[in-house]
Amino acid sequence: MYHPRVENEIITLGIETSCDETAASILKGRFEILSSVVASQNEIHSIYGGVVPELACRKHCEIIRSIAHESLDKADVVLNDLDLVAVTRGPGLVGALLVGLSYAKALAWGMKIPLVGVNHLEGHVMSAFLAQPRIPLPNLSLLVSGGHTELFIMNELGKLEWIGGTRDDAAGEAYDKVAKMLGLGYPGGPEVDRMSRSGSATIKVPAAMMNSSDLDFSFSGPKTAVKHIIEDYKNKGLSLPVEDICASFQASVVRALINKTLFAIEKTNPASISLSGGVAANGALREAFLRLGEELGLPAIIPKLELCQDNAAMIASAGANRYLSNPKDKAWLDFLEMDPKSSWIPNGD
Ligand code: KG4
Ligand code: ZN
């Protein structure tokens, strides 16, 4: 029979393999990170300009065990100390998810401890709370990553109600595609961000859906605008002002994100706001988001830079939070049939 420790002492192993990062983390309670190890596969995929699923899966298989053990060693924790395993169940690449899920199931089964299948997006949202757990609720959360641009309202920690999202490209995806058009590396977001710093936003890149009355985004418009701008310069035989194009594209994306967040605040009247996901590492977006909170007198939280990208600390935190909200639920021990979910938007569940 399993006997969990007191709530703020439970030790969770988090596992994340939804895309191209193999990550493991040890967490104490809901928010105290004892270790967080992330092995990025950027080098493998950069020559293809995007993630190659088969290569991602193979790499996860190769290193998952050593990454998990590295996280245990760094936290000075042994397998017997674990109370819980939390693993990303979706959304993501099915093959990649299966690697982490299978490893986590085997470990939890062998150690006779509970397992929580975590929604990756819920993990991202929790990454903001890892820095400041005591922020007042309801929280309006803007999640901006390579695969998602979503707005959620959260009345209870970890319970996300979807209120809007992108109709086409995610913001990070648009960043990556713009970087590719400009011949910058993969992933493109950090490169476009870096280039923007020495450019000025003097080229017109329209921000889409600024005046629509819903809470949806669109980023294929700004991306296509950049395509036309590049073609125009090339047709005229002019050299590309790469820094200015990056700054102009970035200004358009940030304007759209902040504008819709403001709109969502007016609609939902939250007590705080949070930003998360890979694009939350963007300097201009971080600044604009914090300024928005300040102007409205709303506490605004943003994850530390290392917790913006995919990591397992956020998965452990979301898993521990779910588990601790109902530790006696038998579902945590009945996980052998749990399957990966390639698409899965949390909506109040
Ligand atoms: O959350 P994440 O690590 O993976 C997904 O779940 O998608 O996000 C990765 C995305 C990529 O599209 C990457 O280009 C973008 O985040 N990104 C950035 C920056 N750093 C990463 N985008 C804009 N500015 C950045 N500094
Ligand atoms: Zn992610």
Side-chain angles (χ1 to χ4, degrees), residues 204-236:
K204 197 163 181 274
V205 178
M209 301 187 69
M210 291 286 277
N211 300 315
S212 65
S213 61
D214 49 44
L215 296 177
D216 290 349
F217 303 92
S218 163
F219 294 103
S220 80
K223 176 196 70 185
T224 309
V226 169
K227 184 170 171 262
H228 293 316
I229 290 164
I230 295 172
E231 279 166 4
D232 207 35
Y233 271 89
K234 285 193 173 153
N235 290 340
K236 289 180 181 153

PDB file of all heavy atoms in Angstrom, residues 204-236:
ATOM      1  N   LYS A 204       6.771  48.061 -42.761  1.00  0.00           N
ATOM      2  CA  LYS A 204       5.389  47.770 -42.358  1.00  0.00           C
ATOM      3  C   LYS A 204       5.089  46.261 -42.397  1.00  0.00           C
ATOM      4  O   LYS A 204       5.102  45.646 -43.463  1.00  0.00           O
ATOM      5  CB  LYS A 204       4.428  48.520 -43.286  1.00  0.00           C
ATOM      6  CG  LYS A 204       3.045  48.626 -42.722  1.00  0.00           C
ATOM      7  CD  LYS A 204       2.241  49.712 -43.441  1.00  0.00           C
ATOM      8  CE  LYS A 204       0.869  49.834 -42.849  1.00  0.00           C
ATOM      9  NZ  LYS A 204      -0.102  48.929 -43.392  1.00  0.00           N
ATOM     10  N   VAL A 205       4.866  45.664 -41.228  1.00  0.00           N
ATOM     11  CA  VAL A 205       4.398  44.265 -41.150  1.00  0.00           C
ATOM     12  C   VAL A 205       3.086  44.309 -40.369  1.00  0.00           C
ATOM     13  O   VAL A 205       3.088  44.483 -39.150  1.00  0.00           O
ATOM     14  CB  VAL A 205       5.422  43.356 -40.422  1.00  0.00           C
ATOM     15  CG1 VAL A 205       4.894  41.930 -40.322  1.00  0.00           C
ATOM     16  CG2 VAL A 205       6.772  43.374 -41.119  1.00  0.00           C
ATOM     17  N   PRO A 206       1.947  44.170 -41.057  1.00  0.00           N
ATOM     18  CA  PRO A 206       0.673  44.317 -40.343  1.00  0.00           C
ATOM     19  C   PRO A 206       0.464  43.230 -39.293  1.00  0.00           C
ATOM     20  O   PRO A 206       0.838  42.074 -39.517  1.00  0.00           O
ATOM     21  CB  PRO A 206      -0.381  44.215 -41.456  1.00  0.00           C
ATOM     22  CG  PRO A 206       0.334  43.786 -42.683  1.00  0.00           C
ATOM     23  CD  PRO A 206       1.803  43.872 -42.473  1.00  0.00           C
ATOM     24  N   ALA A 207      -0.078  43.610 -38.147  1.00  0.00           N
ATOM     25  CA  ALA A 207      -0.437  42.628 -37.116  1.00  0.00           C
ATOM     26  C   ALA A 207      -1.870  42.192 -37.392  1.00  0.00           C
ATOM     27  O   ALA A 207      -2.759  43.028 -37.514  1.00  0.00           O
ATOM     28  CB  ALA A 207      -0.314  43.253 -35.735  1.00  0.00           C
ATOM     29  N   ALA A 208      -2.074  40.882 -37.505  1.00  0.00           N
ATOM     30  CA  ALA A 208      -3.391  40.377 -37.927  1.00  0.00           C
ATOM     31  C   ALA A 208      -4.396  40.323 -36.779  1.00  0.00           C
ATOM     32  O   ALA A 208      -4.029  40.189 -35.613  1.00  0.00           O
ATOM     33  CB  ALA A 208      -3.217  38.987 -38.525  1.00  0.00           C
ATOM     34  N   MET A 209      -5.660  40.438 -37.115  1.00  0.00           N
ATOM     35  CA  MET A 209      -6.810  40.271 -36.210  1.00  0.00           C
ATOM     36  C   MET A 209      -6.786  41.203 -35.005  1.00  0.00           C
ATOM     37  O   MET A 209      -7.258  40.857 -33.924  1.00  0.00           O
ATOM     38  CB  MET A 209      -6.909  38.809 -35.741  1.00  0.00           C
ATOM     39  CG  MET A 209      -7.057  37.863 -36.897  1.00  0.00           C
ATOM     40  SD  MET A 209      -7.367  36.186 -36.400  1.00  0.00           S
ATOM     41  CE  MET A 209      -9.004  36.299 -35.730  1.00  0.00           C
ATOM     42  N   MET A 210      -6.227  42.390 -35.204  1.00  0.00           N
ATOM     43  CA  MET A 210      -6.111  43.325 -34.086  1.00  0.00           C
ATOM     44  C   MET A 210      -7.478  43.811 -33.626  1.00  0.00           C
ATOM     45  O   MET A 210      -7.683  44.095 -32.454  1.00  0.00           O
ATOM     46  CB  MET A 210      -5.267  44.532 -34.499  1.00  0.00           C
ATOM     47  CG  MET A 210      -3.819  44.197 -34.706  1.00  0.00           C
ATOM     48  SD  MET A 210      -2.993  43.944 -33.142  1.00  0.00           S
ATOM     49  CE  MET A 210      -2.626  45.619 -32.699  1.00  0.00           C
ATOM     50  N   ASN A 211      -8.402  43.942 -34.566  1.00  0.00           N
ATOM     51  CA  ASN A 211      -9.679  44.553 -34.193  1.00  0.00           C
ATOM     52  C   ASN A 211     -10.833  43.553 -34.122  1.00  0.00           C
ATOM     53  O   ASN A 211     -11.968  43.948 -33.914  1.00  0.00           O
ATOM     54  CB  ASN A 211     -10.025  45.681 -35.185  1.00  0.00           C
ATOM     55  CG  ASN A 211      -8.940  46.744 -35.156  1.00  0.00           C
ATOM     56  OD1 ASN A 211      -8.493  47.136 -34.084  1.00  0.00           O
ATOM     57  ND2 ASN A 211      -8.480  47.165 -36.319  1.00  0.00           N
ATOM     58  N   SER A 212     -10.535  42.248 -34.294  1.00  0.00           N
ATOM     59  CA  SER A 212     -11.643  41.288 -34.245  1.00  0.00           C
ATOM     60  C   SER A 212     -12.137  41.175 -32.801  1.00  0.00           C
ATOM     61  O   SER A 212     -11.362  41.338 -31.857  1.00  0.00           O
ATOM     62  CB  SER A 212     -11.202  39.928 -34.779  1.00  0.00           C
ATOM     63  OG  SER A 212     -10.218  39.389 -33.945  1.00  0.00           O
ATOM     64  N   SER A 213     -13.406  40.871 -32.640  1.00  0.00           N
ATOM     65  CA  SER A 213     -13.993  40.917 -31.299  1.00  0.00           C
ATOM     66  C   SER A 213     -13.784  39.609 -30.530  1.00  0.00           C
ATOM     67  O   SER A 213     -14.254  39.455 -29.411  1.00  0.00           O
ATOM     68  CB  SER A 213     -15.482  41.223 -31.414  1.00  0.00           C
ATOM     69  OG  SER A 213     -16.073  40.190 -32.161  1.00  0.00           O
ATOM     70  N   ASP A 214     -13.077  38.625 -31.146  1.00  0.00           N
ATOM     71  CA  ASP A 214     -12.819  37.375 -30.433  1.00  0.00           C
ATOM     72  C   ASP A 214     -11.427  37.414 -29.794  1.00  0.00           C
ATOM     73  O   ASP A 214     -10.746  38.432 -29.842  1.00  0.00           O
ATOM     74  CB  ASP A 214     -12.918  36.194 -31.408  1.00  0.00           C
ATOM     75  CG  ASP A 214     -12.107  36.488 -32.656  1.00  0.00           C
ATOM     76  OD1 ASP A 214     -10.986  36.988 -32.507  1.00  0.00           O
ATOM     77  OD2 ASP A 214     -12.614  36.249 -33.774  1.00  0.00           O
ATOM     78  N   LEU A 215     -11.018  36.290 -29.195  1.00  0.00           N
ATOM     79  CA  LEU A 215      -9.697  36.252 -28.559  1.00  0.00           C
ATOM     80  C   LEU A 215      -8.746  35.376 -29.377  1.00  0.00           C
ATOM     81  O   LEU A 215      -7.881  34.711 -28.828  1.00  0.00           O
ATOM     82  CB  LEU A 215      -9.833  35.744 -27.125  1.00  0.00           C
ATOM     83  CG  LEU A 215     -10.644  36.648 -26.197  1.00  0.00           C
ATOM     84  CD1 LEU A 215     -10.797  36.045 -24.818  1.00  0.00           C
ATOM     85  CD2 LEU A 215     -10.015  38.036 -26.091  1.00  0.00           C
ATOM     86  N   ASP A 216      -8.926  35.380 -30.693  1.00  0.00           N
ATOM     87  CA  ASP A 216      -8.084  34.553 -31.555  1.00  0.00           C
ATOM     88  C   ASP A 216      -6.925  35.349 -32.141  1.00  0.00           C
ATOM     89  O   ASP A 216      -6.966  36.563 -32.246  1.00  0.00           O
ATOM     90  CB  ASP A 216      -8.918  33.945 -32.678  1.00  0.00           C
ATOM     91  CG  ASP A 216      -9.872  32.887 -32.145  1.00  0.00           C
ATOM     92  OD1 ASP A 216      -9.711  32.498 -30.964  1.00  0.00           O
ATOM     93  OD2 ASP A 216     -10.768  32.462 -32.882  1.00  0.00           O
ATOM     94  N   PHE A 217      -5.886  34.597 -32.530  1.00  0.00           N
ATOM     95  CA  PHE A 217      -4.703  35.189 -33.144  1.00  0.00           C
ATOM     96  C   PHE A 217      -4.542  34.631 -34.556  1.00  0.00           C
ATOM     97  O   PHE A 217      -5.101  33.592 -34.892  1.00  0.00           O
ATOM     98  CB  PHE A 217      -3.424  34.799 -32.385  1.00  0.00           C
ATOM     99  CG  PHE A 217      -3.422  35.163 -30.933  1.00  0.00           C
ATOM    100  CD1 PHE A 217      -3.867  34.263 -29.970  1.00  0.00           C
ATOM    101  CD2 PHE A 217      -2.940  36.386 -30.510  1.00  0.00           C
ATOM    102  CE1 PHE A 217      -3.840  34.580 -28.616  1.00  0.00           C
ATOM    103  CE2 PHE A 217      -2.901  36.718 -29.163  1.00  0.00           C
ATOM    104  CZ  PHE A 217      -3.357  35.813 -28.220  1.00  0.00           C
ATOM    105  N   SER A 218      -3.704  35.309 -35.348  1.00  0.00           N
ATOM    106  CA  SER A 218      -3.286  34.749 -36.636  1.00  0.00           C
ATOM    107  C   SER A 218      -1.869  35.241 -36.895  1.00  0.00           C
ATOM    108  O   SER A 218      -1.600  36.437 -36.771  1.00  0.00           O
ATOM    109  CB  SER A 218      -4.211  35.233 -37.749  1.00  0.00           C
ATOM    110  OG  SER A 218      -3.581  35.024 -39.001  1.00  0.00           O
ATOM    111  N   PHE A 219      -0.974  34.327 -37.206  1.00  0.00           N
ATOM    112  CA  PHE A 219       0.411  34.737 -37.460  1.00  0.00           C
ATOM    113  C   PHE A 219       0.894  34.379 -38.858  1.00  0.00           C
ATOM    114  O   PHE A 219       2.043  34.611 -39.199  1.00  0.00           O
ATOM    115  CB  PHE A 219       1.357  34.174 -36.391  1.00  0.00           C
ATOM    116  CG  PHE A 219       1.087  34.774 -35.043  1.00  0.00           C
ATOM    117  CD1 PHE A 219       0.395  34.055 -34.077  1.00  0.00           C
ATOM    118  CD2 PHE A 219       1.446  36.079 -34.763  1.00  0.00           C
ATOM    119  CE1 PHE A 219       0.096  34.625 -32.855  1.00  0.00           C
ATOM    120  CE2 PHE A 219       1.156  36.667 -33.537  1.00  0.00           C
ATOM    121  CZ  PHE A 219       0.474  35.934 -32.588  1.00  0.00           C
ATOM    122  N   SER A 220      -0.004  33.783 -39.670  1.00  0.00           N
ATOM    123  CA  SER A 220       0.455  33.490 -41.033  1.00  0.00           C
ATOM    124  C   SER A 220       0.494  34.785 -41.849  1.00  0.00           C
ATOM    125  O   SER A 220       1.293  34.917 -42.771  1.00  0.00           O
ATOM    126  CB  SER A 220      -0.399  32.412 -41.685  1.00  0.00           C
ATOM    127  OG  SER A 220      -1.575  32.966 -42.160  1.00  0.00           O
ATOM    128  N   GLY A 221      -0.347  35.777 -41.482  1.00  0.00           N
ATOM    129  CA  GLY A 221      -0.357  37.074 -42.173  1.00  0.00           C
ATOM    130  C   GLY A 221       0.992  37.785 -42.063  1.00  0.00           C
ATOM    131  O   GLY A 221       1.629  38.086 -43.086  1.00  0.00           O
ATOM    132  N   PRO A 222       1.462  38.055 -40.839  1.00  0.00           N
ATOM    133  CA  PRO A 222       2.770  38.698 -40.686  1.00  0.00           C
ATOM    134  C   PRO A 222       3.898  37.899 -41.348  1.00  0.00           C
ATOM    135  O   PRO A 222       4.803  38.468 -41.949  1.00  0.00           O
ATOM    136  CB  PRO A 222       2.976  38.742 -39.169  1.00  0.00           C
ATOM    137  CG  PRO A 222       1.607  38.639 -38.583  1.00  0.00           C
ATOM    138  CD  PRO A 222       0.754  37.897 -39.565  1.00  0.00           C
ATOM    139  N   LYS A 223       3.793  36.567 -41.286  1.00  0.00           N
ATOM    140  CA  LYS A 223       4.826  35.719 -41.908  1.00  0.00           C
ATOM    141  C   LYS A 223       4.824  35.926 -43.431  1.00  0.00           C
ATOM    142  O   LYS A 223       5.882  36.104 -44.047  1.00  0.00           O
ATOM    143  CB  LYS A 223       4.519  34.243 -41.575  1.00  0.00           C
ATOM    144  CG  LYS A 223       5.436  33.252 -42.223  1.00  0.00           C
ATOM    145  CD  LYS A 223       4.843  31.850 -42.160  1.00  0.00           C
ATOM    146  CE  LYS A 223       3.627  31.695 -43.059  1.00  0.00           C
ATOM    147  NZ  LYS A 223       2.967  30.391 -42.945  1.00  0.00           N
ATOM    148  N   THR A 224       3.626  35.921 -44.034  1.00  0.00           N
ATOM    149  CA  THR A 224       3.534  36.105 -45.483  1.00  0.00           C
ATOM    150  C   THR A 224       3.968  37.520 -45.872  1.00  0.00           C
ATOM    151  O   THR A 224       4.591  37.722 -46.924  1.00  0.00           O
ATOM    152  CB  THR A 224       2.080  35.840 -45.957  1.00  0.00           C
ATOM    153  OG1 THR A 224       1.689  34.579 -45.416  1.00  0.00           O
ATOM    154  CG2 THR A 224       1.971  35.789 -47.469  1.00  0.00           C
ATOM    155  N   ALA A 225       3.662  38.496 -45.002  1.00  0.00           N
ATOM    156  CA  ALA A 225       4.102  39.880 -45.276  1.00  0.00           C
ATOM    157  C   ALA A 225       5.625  39.913 -45.392  1.00  0.00           C
ATOM    158  O   ALA A 225       6.178  40.558 -46.293  1.00  0.00           O
ATOM    159  CB  ALA A 225       3.613  40.808 -44.172  1.00  0.00           C
ATOM    160  N   VAL A 226       6.313  39.192 -44.498  1.00  0.00           N
ATOM    161  CA  VAL A 226       7.788  39.160 -44.540  1.00  0.00           C
ATOM    162  C   VAL A 226       8.256  38.508 -45.846  1.00  0.00           C
ATOM    163  O   VAL A 226       9.202  38.975 -46.487  1.00  0.00           O
ATOM    164  CB  VAL A 226       8.365  38.411 -43.309  1.00  0.00           C
ATOM    165  CG1 VAL A 226       9.850  38.138 -43.477  1.00  0.00           C
ATOM    166  CG2 VAL A 226       8.112  39.212 -42.037  1.00  0.00           C
ATOM    167  N   LYS A 227       7.555  37.469 -46.276  1.00  0.00           N
ATOM    168  CA  LYS A 227       7.906  36.792 -47.531  1.00  0.00           C
ATOM    169  C   LYS A 227       7.868  37.793 -48.691  1.00  0.00           C
ATOM    170  O   LYS A 227       8.793  37.858 -49.511  1.00  0.00           O
ATOM    171  CB  LYS A 227       6.923  35.644 -47.763  1.00  0.00           C
ATOM    172  CG  LYS A 227       7.202  34.802 -48.964  1.00  0.00           C
ATOM    173  CD  LYS A 227       6.316  33.549 -48.940  1.00  0.00           C
ATOM    174  CE  LYS A 227       6.419  32.798 -50.240  1.00  0.00           C
ATOM    175  NZ  LYS A 227       5.331  33.091 -51.167  1.00  0.00           N
ATOM    176  N   HIS A 228       6.781  38.586 -48.733  1.00  0.00           N
ATOM    177  CA  HIS A 228       6.644  39.575 -49.818  1.00  0.00           C
ATOM    178  C   HIS A 228       7.719  40.660 -49.727  1.00  0.00           C
ATOM    179  O   HIS A 228       8.247  41.102 -50.742  1.00  0.00           O
ATOM    180  CB  HIS A 228       5.244  40.207 -49.798  1.00  0.00           C
ATOM    181  CG  HIS A 228       4.168  39.213 -50.150  1.00  0.00           C
ATOM    182  ND1 HIS A 228       4.292  38.323 -51.202  1.00  0.00           N
ATOM    183  CD2 HIS A 228       2.956  38.953 -49.597  1.00  0.00           C
ATOM    184  CE1 HIS A 228       3.203  37.572 -51.271  1.00  0.00           C
ATOM    185  NE2 HIS A 228       2.385  37.921 -50.300  1.00  0.00           N
ATOM    186  N   ILE A 229       8.028  41.063 -48.503  1.00  0.00           N
ATOM    187  CA  ILE A 229       9.065  42.107 -48.312  1.00  0.00           C
ATOM    188  C   ILE A 229      10.405  41.582 -48.857  1.00  0.00           C
ATOM    189  O   ILE A 229      11.108  42.277 -49.593  1.00  0.00           O
ATOM    190  CB  ILE A 229       9.188  42.483 -46.810  1.00  0.00           C
ATOM    191  CG1 ILE A 229       7.929  43.239 -46.370  1.00  0.00           C
ATOM    192  CG2 ILE A 229      10.439  43.304 -46.548  1.00  0.00           C
ATOM    193  CD1 ILE A 229       7.748  43.331 -44.861  1.00  0.00           C
ATOM    194  N   ILE A 230      10.722  40.339 -48.541  1.00  0.00           N
ATOM    195  CA  ILE A 230      11.996  39.751 -48.998  1.00  0.00           C
ATOM    196  C   ILE A 230      12.021  39.687 -50.535  1.00  0.00           C
ATOM    197  O   ILE A 230      13.002  40.082 -51.179  1.00  0.00           O
ATOM    198  CB  ILE A 230      12.210  38.334 -48.389  1.00  0.00           C
ATOM    199  CG1 ILE A 230      12.363  38.440 -46.873  1.00  0.00           C
ATOM    200  CG2 ILE A 230      13.410  37.638 -49.013  1.00  0.00           C
ATOM    201  CD1 ILE A 230      12.395  37.114 -46.131  1.00  0.00           C
ATOM    202  N   GLU A 231      10.896  39.212 -51.114  1.00  0.00           N
ATOM    203  CA  GLU A 231      10.812  39.108 -52.590  1.00  0.00           C
ATOM    204  C   GLU A 231      11.003  40.479 -53.237  1.00  0.00           C
ATOM    205  O   GLU A 231      11.714  40.620 -54.238  1.00  0.00           O
ATOM    206  CB  GLU A 231       9.448  38.541 -52.992  1.00  0.00           C
ATOM    207  CG  GLU A 231       9.391  37.021 -52.859  1.00  0.00           C
ATOM    208  CD  GLU A 231       7.947  36.492 -52.918  1.00  0.00           C
ATOM    209  OE1 GLU A 231       7.003  37.292 -53.144  1.00  0.00           O
ATOM    210  OE2 GLU A 231       7.794  35.281 -52.712  1.00  0.00           O
ATOM    211  N   ASP A 232      10.365  41.470 -52.634  1.00  0.00           N
ATOM    212  CA  ASP A 232      10.441  42.833 -53.147  1.00  0.00           C
ATOM    213  C   ASP A 232      11.891  43.341 -53.193  1.00  0.00           C
ATOM    214  O   ASP A 232      12.342  43.881 -54.205  1.00  0.00           O
ATOM    215  CB  ASP A 232       9.586  43.715 -52.217  1.00  0.00           C
ATOM    216  CG  ASP A 232       9.047  44.918 -52.946  1.00  0.00           C
ATOM    217  OD1 ASP A 232       8.732  44.765 -54.142  1.00  0.00           O
ATOM    218  OD2 ASP A 232       8.973  45.998 -52.316  1.00  0.00           O
ATOM    219  N   TYR A 233      12.583  43.143 -52.080  1.00  0.00           N
ATOM    220  CA  TYR A 233      13.992  43.590 -52.032  1.00  0.00           C
ATOM    221  C   TYR A 233      14.811  42.845 -53.078  1.00  0.00           C
ATOM    222  O   TYR A 233      15.641  43.421 -53.772  1.00  0.00           O
ATOM    223  CB  TYR A 233      14.585  43.359 -50.632  1.00  0.00           C
ATOM    224  CG  TYR A 233      14.360  44.535 -49.705  1.00  0.00           C
ATOM    225  CD1 TYR A 233      13.214  44.622 -48.932  1.00  0.00           C
ATOM    226  CD2 TYR A 233      15.297  45.566 -49.617  1.00  0.00           C
ATOM    227  CE1 TYR A 233      12.990  45.705 -48.084  1.00  0.00           C
ATOM    228  CE2 TYR A 233      15.093  46.656 -48.776  1.00  0.00           C
ATOM    229  CZ  TYR A 233      13.936  46.721 -48.007  1.00  0.00           C
ATOM    230  OH  TYR A 233      13.732  47.799 -47.189  1.00  0.00           O
ATOM    231  N   LYS A 234      14.555  41.521 -53.189  1.00  0.00           N
ATOM    232  CA  LYS A 234      15.333  40.706 -54.139  1.00  0.00           C
ATOM    233  C   LYS A 234      15.063  41.143 -55.568  1.00  0.00           C
ATOM    234  O   LYS A 234      15.986  41.267 -56.381  1.00  0.00           O
ATOM    235  CB  LYS A 234      15.019  39.221 -53.942  1.00  0.00           C
ATOM    236  CG  LYS A 234      15.686  38.683 -52.690  1.00  0.00           C
ATOM    237  CD  LYS A 234      15.676  37.174 -52.629  1.00  0.00           C
ATOM    238  CE  LYS A 234      16.506  36.713 -51.427  1.00  0.00           C
ATOM    239  NZ  LYS A 234      16.085  35.416 -50.916  1.00  0.00           N
ATOM    240  N   ASN A 235      13.764  41.374 -55.884  1.00  0.00           N
ATOM    241  CA  ASN A 235      13.408  41.803 -57.250  1.00  0.00           C
ATOM    242  C   ASN A 235      14.066  43.122 -57.624  1.00  0.00           C
ATOM    243  O   ASN A 235      14.381  43.367 -58.780  1.00  0.00           O
ATOM    244  CB  ASN A 235      11.884  41.944 -57.388  1.00  0.00           C
ATOM    245  CG  ASN A 235      11.219  40.580 -57.355  1.00  0.00           C
ATOM    246  OD1 ASN A 235      11.888  39.565 -57.605  1.00  0.00           O
ATOM    247  ND2 ASN A 235       9.934  40.537 -57.031  1.00  0.00           N
ATOM    248  N   LYS A 236      14.250  43.970 -56.621  1.00  0.00           N
ATOM    249  CA  LYS A 236      14.859  45.275 -56.892  1.00  0.00           C
ATOM    250  C   LYS A 236      16.387  45.207 -56.843  1.00  0.00           C
ATOM    251  O   LYS A 236      17.067  46.226 -57.006  1.00  0.00           O
ATOM    252  CB  LYS A 236      14.358  46.299 -55.874  1.00  0.00           C
ATOM    253  CG  LYS A 236      12.908  46.687 -56.084  1.00  0.00           C
ATOM    254  CD  LYS A 236      12.474  47.703 -55.047  1.00  0.00           C
ATOM    255  CE  LYS A 236      11.011  48.058 -55.243  1.00  0.00           C
ATOM    256  NZ  LYS A 236      10.369  48.486 -54.016  1.00  0.00           N
TER     257      LYS A 236
END
